Amino acid sequence: AIVGAGHLLQETDLSPLQREYLQTLMVSADLLLGIINDVLDFSKIEAGKLLIGRITFSLQDVVAELLAVHAPRARHRGIDLQVELDSQIPDLITGDPMRLAQILNNLLSNALKFTRHGSVQLAVKLARKDAVSAELIFAIRDSGIGILAEDQAQLFQAFTQLDGSITRSHGGTGLGLAICKRLTTMMKG
């Protein structure tokens, strides 16, 4: 309701100051919605109630939608956002496109969040394919701040962030990567 009302308000005549306040409201509402969705997803996963779908979809379409979301942010920050899709990947695959997009969205968001200059790349390679299945390898690389090897194990623990200043400067709940890990495991990744 808050997001919907904000969109309606955007269509009205607003002063520059009102438009600025509305933009702050919309960003805040989107962040709050993200936190709520993360908490709900985490709760469903922990309760064993989250199901992974199996539908036929186009990986290229999922990647194109992600690019549409992240490319403007990357351009605005002067970051080169690159995508490399293996040409051997079948046009249609079976799985859960929404959960796959959720994982990739979280990883791309983090890569862009912690990259001040340089590039972020999403690469998808075909690892193997037979008559009934295909195994894909997804990789996101960035030229961001990096993570010490001894801190990497903590990344996937719920409500954990490596540095308290990260929460203050970048936001977040420490749930995104924990959810990604659990979803990936549920999808046999």
Side-chain angles (χ1 to χ4, degrees), residues 10-162:
Q10 283 178 324
E11 302 300 319
T12 66
D13 291 328
L14 299 171
S15 72
L17 183 60
Q18 289 171 321
R19 191 155 302 282
E20 181 182 332
Y21 288 162
L22 179 59
Q23 181 60 30
T24 301
L25 176 103
M26 295 298 289
V27 168
S28 298
D30 285 340
L31 290 172
L32 181 59
L33 185 58
I35 291 169
I36 290 168
N37 286 334
D38 281 351
V39 169
L40 290 172
D41 282 346
F42 185 76
S43 297
K44 285 181 199 174
I45 292 168
E46 289 295 300
K49 300 292 183 184
L50 189 120
L51 301 175
I52 298 297
R54 290 198 44 82
I55 63 171
T56 301
F57 69 97
S58 163
L59 177 64
Q60 291 80 359
D61 289 348
V62 170
V63 170
E65 289 170 9
L66 287 168
L67 281 178
V69 170
H70 293 286
R73 180 175 171 207
R75 262 192 314 278
H76 176 72
R77 299 188 62 214
I79 297 168
D80 183 23
L81 180 58
Q82 306 164 359
V83 173
E84 180 185 323
L85 291 177
D86 188 333
S87 62
Q88 299 300 309
I89 296 172
D91 291 334
L92 296 175
I93 59 176
T94 301
D96 191 327
M98 186 178 87
R99 297 301 174 189
L100 177 61
Q102 183 178 6
I103 292 166
L104 295 175
N105 180 60
N106 188 291
L107 296 174
L108 284 169
S109 291
N110 281 354
L112 288 167
K113 183 189 301 187
F114 296 108
T115 301
R116 296 188 197 280
H117 53 79
S119 65
V120 171
Q121 179 192 47
L122 166 61
V124 187
K125 305 275 187 213
L126 179 67
R128 66 166 192 79
K129 179 174 124 179
D130 59 36
V132 294
S133 67
E135 182 179 324
L136 305 177
I137 298 173
F138 294 84
I140 295 180
R141 295 178 189 89
D142 63 66
S143 58
I145 60 176
I147 303 163
L148 297 173
E150 60 266 19
D151 291 337
Q152 290 177 12
Q154 296 176 38
L155 282 178
F156 300 100
Q157 296 174 16
F159 304 106
T160 300
Q161 291 192 347
L162 299 180

